[in-house]
Amino acid sequence: MTDYPIVEATDIPAAITALKQHYPDAVKEDTRQGYSGVVVDRKRLVEIAKFIRDDLGFDYLSSATAVDYYGIADEMEMVYHAYRTAGGPALVFKAQTPRDNPEIPSLVEIWPGADFQEREAWDLYGIRFPGHPNLKRILLWEGFHGHPMRKDWHEAYYEQDHKPFDSRWPAGHVRRAEELNVYGKNVRYPADIDLSKLSDRSEEALYSDLGLGVSIQELEGDASLKTDRLVVNMGPHHPSTHGVFRMIITLNGETIESLEPVMGYLHRNHEKIGERNTFLHNMPFTDRLDYISSMSNNLGYALAVEQLLAKGARYQPPTYRAEVIRVLMVELTRIVNHYWAIGFLLNDLGAFFTPALYAIAEREKILDFFEATAGSRMMCNYMRFGGVFKDIPERIRSVANLVNDRVRDFNTMEYLTELINERIPRSIDELDEFLTESEIVKSRSIGVGYLPPEMAIAYSAAGPLLRASGVPYDVRRAEPYSIYPELDFDIAVRTHGDIYDRYLIRLDEMRESVRILKQILPRLERTRGEPIFAGSKQHTPRVPLGEAYGRVENPKGELGFYIVSAGDEKGPQNPWRYHVRAPSFINLTALGQMCIGHKVADVVAILGSIDIVLGETDR
Amino acid sequence: MYGKGIAKGLWVTFRHFVNTYLDDIRYAGRKYLRQDNFEIRQGLKAQGAFTVQYPDEKLAVPERFRFIPFLVVEDPDHPERPNHDWCTSCGICAKVCPPQCIWIVRGSDPATGRPIPEPEAFYIDIDICMNCGYCAEFCPFDAIKMDHDYELASYDRTRHHIHDKQRLSKPLSYWKQIAPTTALEEAIERGGWEHPDIIKVMKKAGKEPVQPTAENMFAKPAALTATVPEPPAAEAAADADPAKAERLRKREEALAGKRAAEGGEAPAAAAPPAASAAPAAESKPAETLAPGGKPKFDKQAMLAKIRERKAK
Ligand code: SF4
Ligand code: SF4
């Protein structure tokens, strides 16, 4: 077994005691049923956060999110999860603010990684963060009315607070969604916005609003200046942005002076939908976050809800067989994702589609297995609370149904064995041979987009981005879940923190995943025929009151789900709060810093090396 | 040496290029002749390109593939209740549906207004359906299943994308065809090929359902409540055959009993022994036959029986 640091759980109570000693009147323990951590006085939040980071050593802010306790308490709350990069559980601390004038000091100066998350809380909850350098909407646009995640905000097609809706059964009268959501009547605008001005604003006004415009007068006096400054909008429609994503780049000549990501084009308020949904309903919605790796999204969500369920009396944890299958699925997903990431990184470097197609061809074989097991190639919806959807099938068999259908039929275990032992390692080696030594790849990527380790931690970077900067932080080891403690594998780390290392680390991780999968195969054989559920599969589990933060090491970084089950008249069938800590979103916080001083063509590659997916970024 | 890495990479591309043609040559002309050639080229041994020329050829989807649900109904040649819905309008699928795209009107008895286990209407808005498969997974009666037919393009979104009960209904044999393994597993779990309610009725009547196997999957279900073997002549006789009608009547009785029991009556009262009920109800068979003389599941007759029983 590999050695890895496990900080004992007793650390958290010790930390809380230390906090209470230092700030006796500003820190209280959170005593609500099912809650943990401390509630701190918001007036002294910055000071306490600094203590938590510097003296207690919780240097990594994983998640910062808001909760609206409308109707339960007249308060909103910011919830912070801070970890040690050495590993171990979270120190959870919260700051509360009245609903009618919500204001909480910004933590950006302590953890720059809070930047986007606080902007998100402002955007969706309307909490102001004095001290934030750039507090403006992030997922929605300026002309949006209200703050949609507040519990008293209703969408245009609002029907009822919670699903299942009463209108569906027993007297279901079918209605097309458009009838509730009439075009032209489904939007409200803030009172102070002048729509006529929105449509024909001049370029100049647009950019001066963004604070990036450059006044010509100012430049004229500067005799040393040889080049013009230029603001370039890259995206939102651009093949290199991996979706609909915009970057506002200020260029001095060809060199980047500043870069600001603009996102939200794919925003659908996933979290609001999630709070209308029942706990089970959310599972297929998580598929649509990072749609390249839906299996691991499922697992993250299942773990979070299982944490809550475990507080109840009747909960039975997943069987060993179920855990084995879960790890099989998520490690295959990691390989799928990294094939994709490497393939498209090469696209971004200008090697159009040859590497990408080689990588995707291999991915296809894994998706065939997913399709036969979960029923879908990408929208797997496979994990359930306390188990998985179904055991893996005996045979990967297709059945002709349509005209011209061509069928295939493989034995699943043989297929998996050959896939894991032969095909995947061979193709990883081939990618390695194909790209690693290539002088073009090297000259485009070595030393480009450097992210130093301290900055990676400060910016809450996660996943390959963090580990390529030399920080050996992997949730599978730092706070192990499922059966990872009994599996033998290493955390891939690289130290240069540039694009090339982020490429190499993905190769390393794929090899480690293969190593895990090789240990999974005998376990699969051994547990064949064992049940995948300890109890019975439930569609509406009653979830005990409380909060939970479930996180997994997703291929793109740490994926966390913060879930609160509270005050639901019918019994908590629906999450009160459902928050997704999306690695793609938070990893972008550091993008601007990484790009300064490089050329426009490098931006494309740097973005590609972070490996974002907009379904998750925009939620 | 500068450029060695590129040369190495190009060698990989060259290998891919050659392999594609090698495979083409190896399987030249045989691609469609033998099933296993296709399987090899689409399996883990595939080399080079393995594009499938849609729509001239399509990769058939695996059994668990899920796309837009359909409702299971009895086969049209079912001896007792052809085309009858399996759905009992219990509403579970509508509750577990994440985007809430299922609308069900529960059937009710027009005279008493009491709910009956049969959907009056059933709609799915396929524009909203996210193909999650929950409805099929949690339906306690195996009455809704995920389809494999993904070619649903149409010209008019507003009219064709809300599927009603008629459009959704597909016979049980279709499900057995597209997902034989799953259908068999489910039948074994139910304890027979029949609808769970009928299996209950059969068991109550002391008749063990046929154990499902891969062999008897497509066998026509035997007449359910028949306890005595009939002479073949009777089998071939007119549809208004008394023996058949008698069987049907008994089954109806039992079913009605069961439904009444669900309505809240004591089970003992609901299922009178068939023998004692038989003489009193000698005149009934005619009721259960449609004008054409074909035995047909007659809702009116059934409702009448329920009311009769309620009145007692
Ligand atoms: S769950 Fe099954 S039986 Fe119940 S209403 Fe839905 S389809 Fe019908
Ligand atoms: S597949 Fe999912 S979304 Fe579609 S009808 Fe069934 S439960 Fe609803």
Side-chain angles (χ1 to χ4, degrees):
Chain A
M1 285 231 66
T2 355
D3 272 347
Y4 53 91
I6 296 180
V7 180
E8 281 177 35
T10 49
D11 245 27
I12 296 299
I16 290 179
T17 317
L19 259 181
K20 284 201 290 195
Q21 264 165 13
H22 270 82
Y23 302 95
D25 40 319
V27 173
K28 314 192 285 308
E29 240 168 287
D30 193 345
T31 49
R32 288 169 291 181
Q33 189 194 338
Y35 284 66
S36 62
V38 291
V39 181
V40 306
D41 182 356
R42 66 182 160 126
K43 293 196 192 71
R44 302 179 65 187
L45 178 68
V46 179
E47 184 190 340
I48 294 171
K50 202 161 180 333
F51 178 80
I52 290 175
R53 185 193 66 180
D54 296 342
D55 295 68
L56 298 178
F58 291 87
D59 50 352
Y60 185 80
L61 180 75
S62 162
S63 138
T65 189
V67 189
D68 178 9
Y69 284 102
Y70 176 69
I72 296 179
D74 204 24
E75 265 167 353
M76 292 215 225
E77 191 173 279
M78 277 299 285
V79 184
Y80 304 89
H81 285 78
Y83 289 87
R84 291 186 168 114
T85 37
L91 179 65
V92 190
F93 58 102
K94 295 154 193 162
Q96 292 168 336
T97 173
R99 278 191 94 243
D100 49 0
N101 186 20
E103 209 171 85
I104 286 175
S106 168
L107 290 186
V108 173
E109 60 173 287
I110 313 287
W111 283 292
D115 182 353
F116 282 11
Q117 306 190 58
E118 284 180 354
R119 279 177 67 189
E120 187 189 320
W122 156 248
D123 192 357
L124 303 183
Y125 281 91
I127 301 178
R128 275 186 313 282
F129 295 89
H132 191 291
N134 185 22
L135 191 66
K136 56 183 188 188
R137 289 189 182 268
I138 187 164
L139 295 172
L140 302 167
W141 71 304
E142 296 307 321
F144 193 87
H145 182 71
H147 300 283
M149 283 302 289
R150 291 188 178 211
K151 288 282 175 187
D152 49 357
W153 190 96
H154 290 164
E155 57 275 28
Y157 47 92
Y158 173 79
E159 197 171 336
Q160 227 174 303
D161 271 352
H162 296 311
K163 291 173 184 177
F165 295 145
D166 296 335
S167 63
R168 300 303 194 266
W169 178 87
H173 290 293
V174 69
R175 192 162 47 166
R176 291 181 60 239
E178 284 91 331
E179 289 170 35
L180 282 170
N181 196 7
V182 183
Y183 177 70
K185 291 187 181 160
N186 52 358
V187 200
R188 277 170 295 164
Y189 298 99
D192 57 350
I193 201 158
D194 185 352
L195 286 178
S196 63
K197 283 207 179 135
L198 279 179
S199 51
D200 63 358
R201 295 210 311 179
S202 68
E203 288 273 289
E204 200 181 325
L206 187 71
Y207 295 125
S208 66
D209 266 16
L210 292 163
L212 290 167
V214 176
S215 114
I216 304 295
Q217 283 82 3
E218 233 173 69
L219 291 179
E220 272 172 352
D222 187 351
S224 66
L225 194 74
K226 299 280 188 300
T227 50
D228 282 344
R229 277 217 200 98
L230 192 66
V231 176
V232 173
N233 250 314
M234 218 169 138
H237 301 288
H238 193 281
S240 77
T241 54
H242 295 215
V244 192
F245 176 69
R246 180 158 70 115
M247 288 168 282
I248 303 169
I249 307 172
T250 319
L251 292 173
N252 188 347
E254 271 201 68
T255 312
I256 292 163
E257 286 198 334
S258 79
L259 178 146
E260 196 196 329
V262 181
M263 58 198 93
Y265 298 94
L266 204 59
H267 182 64
R268 59 241 184 230
N269 218 337
H270 181 88
E271 295 177 7
K272 186 91 179 177
I273 298 172
E275 288 169 20
R276 300 251 184 269
N277 281 347
T278 66
F279 284 98
L280 182 78
H281 285 165
N282 277 334
M283 191 61 82
F285 280 90
T286 64
D287 292 340
R288 277 91 177 152
L289 287 168
D290 171 1
Y291 41 78
I292 311 287
S293 26
S294 64
M295 285 283 189
S296 13
N297 300 345
N298 284 181
L299 181 60
Y301 180 59
L303 287 180
V305 177
E306 281 165 10
Q307 266 183 38
L308 273 178
L309 285 171
K311 297 178 187 189
R314 294 227 307 273
Y315 170 68
Q316 284 170 305
T319 60
Y320 189 69
R321 170 87 179 162
E323 296 284 16
V324 171
I325 296 178
R326 283 176 171 193
V327 174
L328 168 78
M329 292 304 184
V330 297
E331 290 307 323
L332 283 173
T333 302
R334 194 176 316 278
I335 294 176
V336 163
N337 182 78
H338 288 353
Y339 273 135
W340 188 271
I342 292 177
F344 282 85
L345 172 64
L346 263 291
N347 249 22
D348 294 340
L349 288 173
F352 275 118
F353 284 107
T354 305
L357 285 178
Y358 289 177
I360 291 173
E362 301 305 321
R363 166 180 176 265
E364 202 69 7
K365 300 295 164 210
I366 302 177
L367 295 194
D368 279 345
F369 168 66
F370 284 174
E371 190 181 29
T373 308
S376 187
R377 305 160 67 75
M378 290 173 79
M379 302 299 131
C380 296
N381 185 20
Y382 186 62
M383 312 286 171
R384 299 287 179 269
F385 312 135
V388 295
F389 159 58
K390 255 187 188 178
D391 207 331
I392 56 176
E394 278 298 308
R395 300 193 75 81
I396 298 179
R397 170 164 56 197
S398 56
V399 183
N401 183 31
L402 305 174
V403 210
N404 300 340
D405 261 353
R406 311 275 311 173
V407 304
R408 291 174 299 171
D409 187 2
F410 308 106
N411 179 307
T412 310
M413 280 315 287
E414 281 168 20
Y415 186 90
L416 277 180
T417 312
E418 188 177 345
L419 188 69
I420 291 166
N421 289 333
E422 312 276 336
R423 179 123 194 163
I424 297 177
R426 195 168 63 221
S427 71
I428 297 174
D429 290 346
E430 195 185 75
L431 274 181
D432 195 358
E433 182 189 353
F434 186 27
L435 304 169
T436 310
E437 292 298 311
S438 168
E439 284 80 2
I440 303 177
V441 173
K442 280 178 153 176
S443 61
R444 284 295 309 277
S445 60
I446 291 180
V448 179
Y450 175 58
L451 185 67
E454 322 77 60
M455 212 150 109
I457 296 173
Y459 275 97
S460 303
L465 184 65
L466 180 66
R467 291 188 290 272
S469 291
V471 184
Y473 190 77
D474 185 314
V475 184
R476 290 174 295 173
R477 282 299 188 224
E479 204 189 358
Y481 50 93
S482 197
I483 56 168
Y484 282 110
E486 63 171 73
L487 297 170
D488 188 14
F489 68 101
D490 294 320
I491 303 173
V493 192
R494 296 265 169 178
T495 48
H496 297 105
D498 57 5
I499 299 180
Y500 192 59
D501 271 17
R502 281 173 218 141
Y503 154 75
L504 288 177
I505 205 164
R506 295 206 162 89
L507 280 184
D508 297 343
E509 286 194 4
M510 285 164 89
R511 294 201 164 108
E512 288 305 320
S513 290
V514 170
R515 201 168 139 198
I516 295 174
L517 289 169
K518 283 184 178 164
Q519 301 166 53
I520 288 293
L521 279 177
R523 287 175 166 82
L524 266 185
E525 284 291 358
R526 211 170 61 222
T527 56
R528 189 199 279 262
E530 285 177 16
I532 45 165
F533 272 96
S536 58
K537 184 155 63 174
Q538 280 181 308
H539 52 78
T540 37
R542 298 278 156 162
V543 179
L545 298 185
E547 60 170 5
Y549 184 60
R551 52 182 202 146
V552 286
E553 188 62 40
N554 235 31
K556 292 190 169 59
E558 178 188 328
L559 174 75
F561 287 90
Y562 178 69
I563 296 190
V564 174
S565 161
D568 190 337
E569 306 124 44
K570 286 195 275 177
Q573 275 190 9
N574 310 76
W576 179 265
R577 178 75 176 108
Y578 163 79
H579 171 68
V580 185
R581 184 241 187 250
S584 299
F585 175 67
I586 296 173
N587 284 353
L588 280 175
T589 323
L591 177 67
Q593 288 298 321
M594 286 194 278
C595 291
I596 292 176
H598 291 295
K599 306 275 188 279
V600 176
D602 296 327
V603 170
V604 176
I606 296 171
L607 183 71
S609 75
I610 302 180
D611 183 19
I612 58 164
V613 96
L614 270 303
E616 183 178 71
T617 307
D618 292 345
R619 284 161 292 146
Chain B
M1 188 190 78
Y2 197 75
K4 204 171 137 224
I6 297 179
K8 228 169 120 187
L10 285 176
W11 173 241
V12 174
T13 351
F14 182 71
R15 266 192 342 242
H16 267 264
F17 176 78
V18 173
N19 274 340
T20 310
Y21 290 101
L22 274 185
D23 247 28
D24 274 354
I25 294 165
R26 204 176 300 146
Y27 296 101
R30 292 185 293 154
K31 194 173 174 189
Y32 295 95
L33 292 184
R34 279 181 48 197
Q35 171 57 25
D36 42 342
N37 288 346
F38 184 83
E39 257 177 30
I40 293 166
R41 299 199 68 181
Q42 284 297 321
L44 293 173
K45 302 235 169 6
Q47 300 275 326
F50 49 90
T51 315
V52 172
Q53 304 292 342
Y54 184 87
D56 291 334
E57 54 181 337
K58 299 169 190 165
L59 272 181
V61 293
E63 281 193 32
R64 290 187 191 174
F65 177 77
R66 45 184 153 79
F67 199 75
I68 308 297
F70 68 91
L71 286 173
V72 175
V73 298
E74 296 288 10
D75 292 342
D77 61 350
H78 190 278
E80 269 132 12
R81 41 176 225 169
N83 299 322
H84 188 72
D85 297 307
W86 272 44
C87 174
T88 63
S89 76
C90 70
I92 287 177
C93 54
K95 285 183 194 137
V96 297
C97 174
Q100 298 283 291
C101 65
I102 302 182
W103 287 262
I104 303 169
V105 182
R106 183 169 56 192
S108 61
D109 180 339
T112 63
R114 293 188 70 96
I116 53 165
E118 198 182 317
E120 185 121 352
F122 201 112
Y123 302 96
I124 293 181
D125 187 338
I126 63 160
D127 283 340
I128 300 180
C129 173
M130 64 201 291
N131 304 321
C132 68
Y134 276 163
C135 47
E137 189 177 336
F138 291 104
C139 172
F141 299 94
D142 290 331
I144 189 166
K145 291 290 156 209
M146 296 307 284
D147 208 342
H148 287 187
D149 182 4
Y150 50 84
E151 296 179 327
L152 287 179
S154 73
Y155 283 101
D156 188 353
R157 183 173 73 86
T158 51
R159 277 189 300 127
H160 300 315
H161 286 195
I162 294 184
H163 287 188
D164 60 6
K165 198 169 114 185
Q166 191 197 350
R167 173 79 166 78
L168 286 169
S169 295
K170 292 192 177 178
L172 178 63
S173 53
Y174 173 74
W175 174 239
K176 291 176 185 165
Q177 236 164 39
I178 63 169
T181 323
T182 319
L184 181 60
E185 280 165 14
E186 287 164 357
I188 290 172
E189 209 163 293
R190 289 197 300 270
W193 283 112
E194 289 293 330
H195 188 277
D197 280 353
I198 297 192
I199 291 174
K200 267 192 219 158
V201 171
M202 286 167 81
K203 286 196 168 148
K204 226 175 232 168
K207 188 166 185 287
E208 266 309 302
V210 189
Q211 272 313 303
T213 60
E215 283 71 45
N216 63 17
M217 177 174 285
F218 291 100
K220 210 170 149 175
L224 301 177
T225 45
T227 40
V228 274
E230 303 155 283
E235 193 79 34
D239 287 319
D241 165 50
K244 210 165 184 176
E246 169 68 9
R247 280 199 311 274
L248 188 65
R249 189 193 54 73
K250 279 186 190 161
R251 206 186 70 75
E252 296 266 33
E253 286 265 355
L255 253 185
K258 191 192 156 291
R259 283 175 184 149
E262 275 175 353
E265 271 188 27
S276 71
E282 209 56 88
S283 62
K284 291 257 171 77
E287 273 178 43
T288 58
L289 296 175
K294 256 191 141 359
K296 185 166 159 282
F297 185 81
D298 190 338
K299 191 166 146 190
Q300 288 311 320
M302 189 190 79
L303 292 177
K305 277 198 206 83
I306 296 175
R307 277 196 292 276
E308 200 176 283
R309 197 168 298 281
K310 282 255 173 281
K312 273 189 210 160

